[in-house]
Amino acid sequence: MQIATTGLVLRQVKVGEADQILTLLTPDRGIVSASAKGSLRLKNKLFSSCGLFCYSEFTLTIGRSSNFVDNAAVKKVFHGLGRTVEGMSLAVYLAEAATVLAPEPPEAAQLLRLTLNTLYMISEGKRPLRQLKAIYEMRAMCLAGYMPHILACDTCGRYDGMDFYLDTAGGSLLCADCAAKAGRSPNLDPGALYALRHICLADDGKLFNFTLTDASTRRLDAVCERYLLANLDHGLKSLDFLKTVLE
């Protein structure tokens, strides 16, 4: 069966001299693995459209045990990703997270849009990398059905005016007073809590439209990372390297 779809190349695995297996994030089929024969040859028709983080229009043959790329045409290339080690490392981390989440339609289309928008922001240097990392982590969890309880303290109902604690395992929110009674220390200051609510609730067009101090960004980053890992239930190899290069 032959199909036409758009897809973002999340991963490449070289096979032999010039072939590769691509991991694609598509809006209508989720994660698809497909063989792109000869695509590593410079003069091959697939060369320019099957690179890492290329967003392309694909014609695929879907087989019983294997899939194949028949044709591909580039829609978007994020040239700025390779400008820094930090930016490329973050892009690789987001790609691994998307692959592990392996969403089905219609969530696949939403995660694809989020991934493309985040890659654009990284490529163009529109926001600090830690902020983009946190946005992607928490928004991806929300799209997967794991939105935490972020509106008010689960115990007393307080919603602002102090630091708060987000339980990254259970997703519950406690104000500083209730957190202290539970033997927990706040991990969100007011700025980070505002940003967390924005990430979870904002429309796609306004998702990236906020600024934070460096201190609040670091708190937000730590909470979103722990929340993602707690819900994935295992680590991500690319995160280990990212932590060595991200300031």
Side-chain angles (χ1 to χ4, degrees):
M1 178 179 67
Q2 195 174 66
I3 67 164
T5 187
T6 58
L8 174 66
V9 180
L10 297 179
R11 187 166 180 254
Q12 302 164 294
V13 177
K14 183 179 179 182
V15 180
E17 289 294 319
D19 302 344
Q20 55 182 339
I21 304 294
L22 304 179
T23 300
L24 308 174
L25 176 57
T26 70
D28 46 3
R29 288 179 171 264
I31 295 292
V32 174
S33 179
S35 174
K37 291 187 175 295
S39 57
L40 291 175
R41 293 193 177 97
L42 189 60
K43 295 183 178 180
N44 188 276
K45 64 179 181 179
L46 300 177
F47 179 81
S48 62
S49 51
C50 291
L52 187 62
F53 303 125
C54 280
Y55 178 51
S56 302
E57 295 179 348
F58 290 95
T59 302
L60 306 175
T61 293
I62 305 298
R64 290 185 177 180
S65 58
S66 300
N67 307 315
F68 300 91
V69 178
D70 298 324
N71 289 292
V74 175
K75 288 175 66 68
K76 176 68 177 177
V77 177
F78 301 96
H79 296 289
L81 291 180
R83 195 174 294 128
T84 66
V85 173
E86 295 87 350
M88 179 57 77
S89 299
L90 178 56
V92 171
Y93 168 62
L94 304 188
E96 185 181 2
T99 303
V100 172
L101 285 169
E104 298 291 334
E107 289 79 11
Q110 296 172 314
L111 186 64
L112 175 59
R113 187 182 308 115
L114 172 64
T115 307
L116 291 171
N117 288 340
T118 309
L119 291 178
Y120 169 78
M121 289 287 180
I122 297 171
S123 179
E124 299 299 318
K126 296 288 188 179
R127 294 289 185 275
L129 294 182
R130 282 190 183 275
Q131 182 176 333
L132 294 175
K133 173 176 172 287
I135 290 172
Y136 190 89
E137 289 166 334
M138 186 55 70
R139 187 70 163 208
M141 285 293 95
C142 291
L143 294 177
Y146 294 99
M147 183 187 294
H149 305 149
I150 43 82
L151 295 181
C153 175
D154 271 15
T155 300
C156 72
R158 183 162 187 164
Y159 60 89
D160 64 4
M162 60 172 59
D163 290 351
F164 277 72
Y165 169 77
L166 181 71
D167 178 1
T168 54
S172 59
L173 189 69
L174 296 176
C175 69
D177 292 341
C178 293
K181 294 175 183 176
R184 302 291 186 179
S185 298
N187 52 14
L188 294 167
D189 61 20
L193 177 60
Y194 168 84
L196 181 66
R197 288 170 172 158
H198 180 89
I199 293 167
C200 292
L201 302 173
D203 294 336
D204 286 347
K206 298 179 180 179
L207 177 59
F208 299 92
N209 294 348
F210 66 89
T211 58
L212 275 180
T213 65
D214 182 65
S216 293
T217 299
R218 288 180 180 274
R219 284 199 168 199
L220 178 69
D221 175 38
V223 167
C224 292
E225 178 185 304
R226 287 198 293 268
Y227 191 73
L228 174 76
L229 294 178
N231 284 285
L232 290 183
D233 203 30
H234 63 78
L236 297 172
K237 292 181 179 179
S238 55
L239 179 58
D240 295 332
F241 180 74
L242 177 62
K243 287 185 172 182
T244 68
V245 299
L246 198 60
E247 294 182 358

